[in-house]
Amino acid sequence: MTFSADHQPPATSRRPPVSLTLTALSGIPLVRPGENLATLILQSFEQAALALEDGDILVIAQKIVSKSEGRHVKLGDVQPSQGARELAAVTEKDPRLVELILSESREIVRHRLGVIVAENRQGVVLANSGIDHSNVEADGDAEQVLLLPVDPDASAARIHKELQEQTQVNIAVIINDSLGRAWRNGTTGTALGVSGLPALLDLRGLPDLFGKPLQVSEQAIADELSAAASLLQGQAAEGQPVVLIRGYATSAPPTPASALIRPKEKDLFR
């Protein structure tokens, strides 16, 4: 292939190679309400003969954050409202679960047989308002479900602060969960809470390889890192809720996961 003098290929070959490493920590026990996640995580680092370093990113599964914050609900304690019973009849879901979905939601966005998609209290659109049965132990004979953290960004900030105070290193924390997408099959890791890095990186105005300014590019950094970590965390019985990411760097200022939420008036799928 030849290029004219006005269209020379970019000199990308001079750039040094870059890499990103992901390590799933083992040794995280089943988390109980009130347990300190920062302590459990640092114990896991000790067992693995690892240490946190400046620039490290920890991706923590939402489920263990919710468990530590005591976000369990016994379904037997839930009294469904008339509205919950009516929506349950249409979707063929447990009316008690539907009552919880309604209580954790701003709006029911879509529903059909077996599916309820809601905008939760933080503005995230997801199935069942993020309420989950999987990997949630029963309380004796009582069936339990797990709600999302009340404020995932605040949860991430608290864990971030505790880890930095105990280690004196500059790190970042992401709380992730597996969410579906309106335009694709399957789930992917998605950031619900972020502290210490830019959840969303605005690239508009930066030049591309040929010097043309980017017009609309915004990079969902925290979601991309969450998805990568989710490959190691798994979806079933892997028992690897914390992933260390090493090698990603940016000088952009931190922003919370709430920056990733598209305003309703700009959401073409609603």
Side-chain angles (χ1 to χ4, degrees):
M1 180 179 294
T2 59
F3 293 83
S4 70
D6 293 333
H7 295 86
Q8 291 298 319
T12 55
S13 59
R14 300 193 209 117
R15 297 177 184 172
V18 295
S19 64
L20 194 69
T21 64
L22 288 85
T23 305
L25 298 179
S26 58
I28 303 288
L30 288 175
V31 174
R32 307 294 179 188
E35 288 191 301
N36 186 286
L37 288 184
T39 298
L40 294 178
I41 290 169
L42 291 177
Q43 288 173 352
S44 180
F45 267 89
E46 236 180 275
Q47 293 169 14
L50 292 171
L52 280 169
E53 299 177 3
D54 284 336
D56 283 350
I57 301 167
L58 287 177
V59 183
I60 305 171
Q62 161 270 317
K63 195 153 289 180
I64 66 169
V65 177
S66 289
K67 287 182 177 182
S68 74
E69 295 179 357
R71 295 286 284 160
H72 302 83
V73 176
K74 296 178 184 177
L75 282 180
D77 293 341
V78 178
Q79 296 297 320
S81 62
Q82 181 60 33
R85 293 182 185 279
E86 291 172 0
L87 184 55
V90 174
T91 58
E92 294 188 1
K93 285 183 172 289
D94 187 324
R96 301 169 300 175
L97 175 61
V98 175
E99 179 62 33
L100 290 175
I101 294 170
L102 292 174
S103 69
E104 290 292 301
S105 303
R106 295 178 183 174
E107 176 189 355
I108 301 301
V109 177
R110 296 283 189 277
H111 65 80
R112 67 180 189 192
L113 186 64
V115 177
I116 297 176
V117 176
E119 178 186 339
N120 79 349
R121 289 177 176 178
Q122 291 78 44
V124 182
V125 177
L126 70 177
N128 293 338
S129 206
I131 299 170
D132 204 354
H133 286 89
S134 63
N135 288 318
V136 180
E137 57 271 38
D139 183 2
D141 293 330
E143 183 183 4
Q144 294 193 119
V145 293
L146 197 64
L147 312 184
L148 294 180
V150 173
D151 185 341
D153 276 328
S155 298
R158 185 188 67 254
I159 298 168
H160 181 208
K161 180 181 178 182
E162 291 174 351
L163 287 167
Q164 291 204 148
E165 286 176 347
Q166 293 187 54
T167 62
Q168 302 301 305
V169 295
N170 185 28
I171 63 166
V173 168
I174 298 172
I175 296 172
N176 75 332
D177 197 6
S178 295
L179 272 59
R181 299 153 293 166
W183 52 91
R184 306 276 288 184
N185 287 325
T187 62
T188 186
T190 304
L192 298 181
V194 175
S195 181
L197 60 79
L200 184 68
L201 191 58
D202 190 348
L203 303 176
R204 290 172 293 184
L206 294 179
D208 67 10
L209 289 175
F210 295 92
K212 298 176 183 177
L214 299 174
Q215 300 294 321
V216 296
S217 298
E218 293 181 286
Q219 190 175 12
I221 295 296
D223 281 346
E224 293 190 316
L225 294 169
S226 293
S230 186
L231 291 172
L232 296 182
Q233 290 168 326
Q235 303 295 323
E238 290 84 356
Q240 298 174 159
V242 180
V243 172
L244 166 66
I245 298 181
R246 184 166 287 169
Y248 177 78
T250 178
S251 58
T255 55
S258 57
L260 292 161
I261 298 173
R262 179 168 290 167
K264 184 177 179 179
E265 62 272 16
K266 295 182 179 179
D267 187 342
L268 299 181
F269 293 89
R270 283 201 265 176

